[in-house]
Amino acid sequence: MSTEPKGHERGSVFHLTLRCIACGKSFPHTHRASWCTSCEAALDVEYSVPLRVQEERRDLPGIWSHRGAFPLADPEGLVSLGEGNTPSVPLPRVGAHLGLGRLYAKLEYLNPTGSFKDRGSAALASALRDIGVTEIIEDSSGNAGASIAAYAARAGLRAAVFVPETAPLAKVRQIAFYGAQVRRVPGGRQAAAQAAREASERRGIYHASHNLNPFFLEGMVSFALEVAQQFPDGLPDHILFPVGNGSLLIGAWKGLLRLREAGAVRRLPRLYAVQGRRVQPLVAAFHNKPWQAPERAHTVAGGIAVTQPPRLRQALAVLRDSGGSAVAVAERDILAWQKALAVGEGIFCEPTSAAAFAGLEALVQRGLIGHEESVLVPVTGFGLKDRVPAARSS
Amino acid sequence: MSTEPKGHERGSVFHLTLRCIACGKSFPHTHRASWCTSCEAALDVEYSVPLRVQEERRDLPGIWSHRGAFPLADPEGLVSLGEGNTPSVPLPRVGAHLGLGRLYAKLEYLNPTGSFKDRGSAALASALRDIGVTEIIEDSSGNAGASIAAYAARAGLRAAVFVPETAPLAKVRQIAFYGAQVRRVPGGRQAAAQAAREASERRGIYHASHNLNPFFLEGMVSFALEVAQQFPDGLPDHILFPVGNGSLLIGAWKGLLRLREAGAVRRLPRLYAVQGRRVQPLVAAFHNKPWQAPERAHTVAGGIAVTQPPRLRQALAVLRDSGGSAVAVAERDILAWQKALAVGEGIFCEPTSAAAFAGLEALVQRGLIGHEESVLVPVTGFGLKDRVPAARSS
């Protein structure tokens, strides 16, 4: 490892343990891997102190204003670029089109690197600084890579990001611009992950794999706490997420459960996952249907094209426990909704984000979401992050 | 005009008048031009009611949470995409490099279309809806065009944006994606403005020229009110702005004066303008030096390449009244600072925004800004809005 862990004497994070989501084995917070080194599954954070869920720390930056609900790192070492606290706005025109009187969007693209991933990266960078990590390796083909590169820069961590050689040039350039070392790997997404893993083991560097890492996931808890603040008269009846690795879905549910435990809310929303038809492992699993990953998963919704999400069972449990569902949508509907949001509401998002609205339309049509009910959709990534479609394409 | 003004009977905006910044002539708030129709100069908003500067309306969206300080439109017709309330974050690494212990950035690029212009567009769209305008023409080559296109979509206004044929393709595509009609005009920026003016007159459509319009400017007042909230222990000693038309500089000063009048703050910051060396009408005027607009003003800082800013005298007055100054910076320093912010702090901005940091360095070197003093710099536009530089360019 790049430096020795500073251990418990730092004092701030005595109270947290990392637990494997599959075999249940626990590790100290200073554990030098993003996964369970016994069975290779992802990890979750567990606290042994009571959480102060309703505390608002307006003196702390970004997601740390909700720190009481996830006391993740030493107050001295908190890393932030002012992420979180994104606005929730009504969508009157899109709502009218769908027959929904209370439809809202939470503009998660208004995060420092242009996507919701910054919640996770702020948490990750803070926790790593706390345990004395000074250098990281990450694998990503897009938003998570840019986000982790930015927060690594902010935290003074050296970072290398392994990307598949097919990764979009604009996203690769954003990653590199933050000063991270970019390593292009021949082959697809899994090959990049494997190369990152090998380099990490060979060189003894922390592999901050965002889809396995417990700290990254924990940052997403902040989403739910903000929703509770922004809807003081009652949480939305339904929240829809575009889901690749599912970190926002799973993290939001963690936050909602903590709010209920603390007595801050009673009834929780139903949570839904939306995926593209070409890459829909979670939707297939939810409906007990077979699904085979395609050789090459070309899709406009690259942000959710994750063929083997390591937190699949966790995501499934969230959908079932909350009483939600999962739906897959067509490429053309994703693009049509991207345009409809821009023209109808002035919101310019990535295709990946628009998928959630295509899913919403399907769920309303199937009667799973009623016209009198309230709905919230996070708009997860900025339209500027993809190639902007040509003027006359729609 | 596209519809008849609804007049004073709407009741909400009885209390505001538009006044010419040059000849002093006043017009009712229903005035159907963005400028003085007597002498062609820009207009300012004046209120005949006391302003409730310190009121915080957390129930109202975006910049309207400060509505008491600029009661611009009917509460029923407020247009918002959750703009404003952007985070202010410390810049420890850049600060250390400059020898400044208290350097902060206000991340204005975290606005709904990726730039500070959204403050102005929210105000403009709200005021226009109030006076019954349903269709607008705008001229822009960049961020203002995208911002006004988005807010026109949000407000249900038809919009046509006239752009010079040399405008960057990505920005033109963003404008068009919001559903605005894009008209490419042969020639430069002035030709686009002239074409917009002629089309407006010919077709009787409101020309929402953002560099002349009083409502657009008024939205910028919100910037100062947020700074006062975010720095409760005392405003920063210095605020530096990259200046093209100067709307943020001038609007921020208006807000600061209102705060002082209300007794909310005592000592005001010094305000500074930074321009690129190739287009520096304000810097030249401030230092009483001759300056000739180049035939073609190629610069990496396109957002501040305004050769004839119509509010030049207002901007000059702000610099003098606040005790600030003006400085011009080199192209290479702008690009070096864009990279330094990304690598040093994880903040990826447009070159235009980075110009302010190049200016800060110069002002520190000249001793105009002392090492013990506190400094705030708005980061006005997202790096994703420009072509992202290639990985190995820096």
Side-chain angles (χ1 to χ4, degrees):
Chain A
M1 300 299 148
S2 49
T3 65
E4 282 307 298
K6 293 192 183 174
H8 283 182
E9 72 277 13
R10 283 291 285 276
S12 63
V13 282
F14 269 126
H15 51 260
L16 73 84
T17 302
L18 308 179
R19 188 177 297 278
C20 175
I21 64 168
C23 74
K25 185 168 179 187
S26 66
F27 300 88
H29 73 279
T30 51
H31 182 57
R32 287 299 172 112
S34 289
W35 53 85
C36 171
T37 40
S38 175
C39 81
E40 308 259 315
L43 298 172
D44 271 9
V45 172
E46 284 186 358
Y47 303 96
S48 61
V49 291
L51 303 179
R52 300 185 304 274
V53 172
Q54 286 170 290
E55 179 185 71
E56 192 183 355
R57 291 285 303 271
R58 288 182 95 174
D59 59 315
L60 292 179
I63 57 169
W64 304 112
S65 63
H66 313 286
R67 185 168 183 274
F70 55 112
L72 200 62
D74 192 320
E76 296 299 304
L78 296 180
V79 179
S80 178
L81 279 165
E83 63 292 324
N85 297 308
T86 57
S88 286
V89 299
L91 302 182
R93 226 164 271 118
V94 166
H97 173 75
L98 294 171
L100 295 170
R102 289 182 295 153
L103 173 61
Y104 303 86
K106 189 159 167 62
L107 304 187
E108 286 294 291
Y109 76 84
L110 296 182
N111 267 305
T113 74
S115 87
F116 76 99
K117 305 279 189 185
D118 295 336
R119 295 180 186 275
S121 299
L124 173 65
S126 301
L128 293 187
R129 199 147 85 167
D130 223 33
I131 62 173
V133 168
T134 58
E135 184 169 5
I136 59 173
I137 281 175
E138 156 69 333
D139 58 280
S140 164
S141 58
N143 290 339
S147 179
I148 286 181
Y151 281 82
R154 180 71 172 172
L157 303 168
R158 281 171 60 93
V161 181
F162 287 64
V163 303
E165 62 184 354
T166 54
L169 188 62
K171 295 199 176 184
V172 173
R173 284 182 170 177
Q174 190 188 358
I175 295 169
F177 201 73
Y178 291 116
Q181 206 174 17
V182 174
R183 299 284 181 86
R184 290 177 166 280
V185 180
R189 184 69 189 76
Q190 297 294 335
Q194 189 54 35
R197 176 99 174 229
E198 285 165 12
S200 157
E201 284 167 4
R202 199 169 55 245
R203 297 170 51 204
I205 297 171
Y206 188 94
H207 183 182
S209 169
H210 67 277
N211 50 9
L212 293 163
N213 189 279
F215 306 121
F216 188 88
L217 181 70
E218 196 65 9
M220 302 298 169
V221 165
S222 59
F223 176 88
L225 307 170
E226 292 173 22
V227 172
Q229 283 180 330
Q230 292 173 335
F231 294 86
D233 300 330
L235 297 178
D237 297 311
H238 309 276
I239 309 181
L240 282 80
F241 300 85
V243 172
N245 281 304
S247 62
L248 190 57
L249 170 79
I250 299 164
W253 185 243
K254 276 178 186 272
L256 289 168
L257 292 178
R258 287 178 203 173
L259 284 163
R260 190 170 63 183
E261 274 164 36
V265 300
R266 286 192 189 171
R267 203 183 41 77
L268 298 187
R270 294 173 191 265
L271 268 45
Y272 300 80
V274 183
Q275 299 193 302
R277 286 198 187 145
R278 295 187 184 163
V279 183
Q280 50 163 307
L282 180 59
V283 177
F286 184 83
H287 296 290
N288 295 307
K289 287 183 181 164
W291 180 77
Q292 182 85 44
E295 186 97 348
R296 290 208 143 199
H298 279 302
T299 167
V300 295
I304 51 175
V306 181
T307 54
Q308 295 167 36
R311 293 187 187 271
L312 180 78
R313 287 166 71 185
Q314 266 187 308
L316 271 179
V318 170
L319 302 180
R320 293 199 172 121
D321 292 351
S322 73
S325 186
V327 60
V329 297
E331 298 285 302
R332 66 171 179 281
D333 293 337
I334 294 172
L335 291 175
W337 272 105
Q338 187 197 19
K339 186 68 179 173
L341 279 164
V343 173
E345 304 287 4
I347 293 170
F348 179 32
C349 67
E350 284 194 306
T352 294
S353 312
F357 290 89
L360 174 60
E361 184 168 33
L363 292 169
V364 171
Q365 282 169 355
R366 291 178 202 171
L368 281 171
I369 290 178
H371 295 295
E372 300 309 312
E373 296 170 324
S374 59
V375 181
L376 177 68
V377 184
V379 179
T380 50
F382 208 154
L384 294 172
K385 300 202 92 183
D386 248 295
R387 201 177 62 82
V388 181
R392 311 209 175 280
S393 69
S394 310
Chain B
M1 300 297 148
S2 51
T3 65
E4 283 306 300
K6 294 192 181 173
H8 282 182
E9 73 277 11
R10 284 290 285 277
S12 63
V13 281
F14 270 127
H15 49 260
L16 73 84
T17 301
L18 308 179
R19 189 176 299 277
C20 175
I21 64 168
C23 75
K25 186 167 177 186
S26 67
F27 300 89
H29 72 279
T30 52
H31 182 57
R32 287 300 173 110
S34 290
W35 52 85
C36 171
T37 41
S38 176
C39 81
E40 309 259 314
L43 298 172
D44 271 9
V45 172
E46 284 185 358
Y47 303 96
S48 60
V49 291
L51 303 180
R52 300 186 304 275
V53 172
Q54 284 169 291
E55 179 186 70
E56 191 183 355
R57 292 286 302 271
R58 288 181 96 174
D59 59 314
L60 293 179
I63 57 168
W64 304 112
S65 63
H66 313 285
R67 186 169 182 273
F70 56 111
L72 199 62
D74 192 320
E76 295 299 304
L78 296 180
V79 178
S80 177
L81 280 165
E83 63 291 325
N85 299 307
T86 55
S88 285
V89 298
L91 302 183
R93 226 165 270 116
V94 165
H97 173 75
L98 294 172
L100 295 170
R102 291 182 293 153
L103 173 61
Y104 302 88
K106 188 159 166 63
L107 304 187
E108 286 295 290
Y109 75 85
L110 296 182
N111 267 305
T113 74
S115 86
F116 76 98
K117 304 277 189 184
D118 294 336
R119 296 180 185 274
S121 298
L124 173 65
S126 301
L128 293 186
R129 198 147 87 168
D130 222 35
I131 62 172
V133 167
T134 58
E135 186 170 3
I136 58 172
I137 283 175
E138 156 69 332
D139 58 280
S140 165
S141 57
N143 291 339
S147 179
I148 286 181
Y151 280 81
R154 179 71 172 171
L157 302 169
R158 282 172 58 95
V161 181
F162 287 64
V163 303
E165 62 184 356
T166 54
L169 188 61
K171 295 200 175 183
V172 172
R173 285 181 169 179
Q174 189 189 0
I175 295 169
F177 201 74
Y178 291 116
Q181 208 174 19
V182 174
R183 301 283 182 85
R184 289 178 166 280
V185 180
R189 185 67 191 78
Q190 297 294 333
Q194 187 56 33
R197 176 98 176 231
E198 285 166 11
S200 158
E201 284 168 1
R202 200 168 56 245
R203 298 170 50 202
I205 297 170
Y206 187 94
H207 184 183
S209 170
H210 67 276
N211 50 8
L212 293 162
N213 189 280
F215 305 121
F216 188 89
L217 180 70
E218 196 66 7
M220 302 299 169
V221 166
S222 59
F223 176 88
L225 306 169
E226 291 172 22
V227 172
Q229 282 180 331
Q230 292 173 336
F231 294 84
D233 299 330
L235 297 178
D237 296 312
H238 309 277
I239 309 181
L240 281 79
F241 300 85
V243 173
N245 281 304
S247 61
L248 190 58
L249 171 79
I250 299 164
W253 185 242
K254 275 178 186 273
L256 290 168
L257 292 178
R258 286 178 204 171
L259 284 162
R260 190 169 64 182
E261 274 164 36
V265 299
R266 287 192 189 171
R267 203 184 39 78
L268 298 187
R270 296 173 190 263
L271 269 45
Y272 301 80
V274 182
Q275 301 194 299
R277 286 198 188 146
R278 295 188 184 163
V279 183
Q280 50 162 308
L282 180 59
V283 177
F286 184 84
H287 296 289
N288 295 307
K289 286 183 182 163
W291 180 77
Q292 181 86 42
E295 185 98 347
R296 290 205 146 203
H298 281 299
T299 167
V300 295
I304 50 174
V306 182
T307 52
Q308 295 169 35
R311 294 188 187 271
L312 179 77
R313 286 166 71 185
Q314 266 186 309
L316 272 179
V318 170
L319 302 180
R320 293 198 171 122
D321 292 351
S322 73
S325 185
V327 61
V329 296
E331 298 285 303
R332 67 171 179 281
D333 293 337
I334 294 172
L335 291 175
W337 272 103
Q338 185 197 19
K339 186 69 179 172
L341 280 164
V343 172
E345 304 285 4
I347 293 170
F348 179 33
C349 67
E350 287 194 305
T352 295
S353 312
F357 290 87
L360 174 59
E361 184 168 33
L363 292 168
V364 171
Q365 282 169 353
R366 291 179 203 170
L368 281 170
I369 290 178
H371 295 293
E372 299 309 311
E373 296 171 323
S374 60
V375 180
L376 177 68
V377 184
V379 179
T380 51
F382 209 155
L384 295 173
K385 300 201 92 184
D386 248 294
R387 199 176 64 81
V388 181
R392 310 210 177 280
S393 69
S394 307

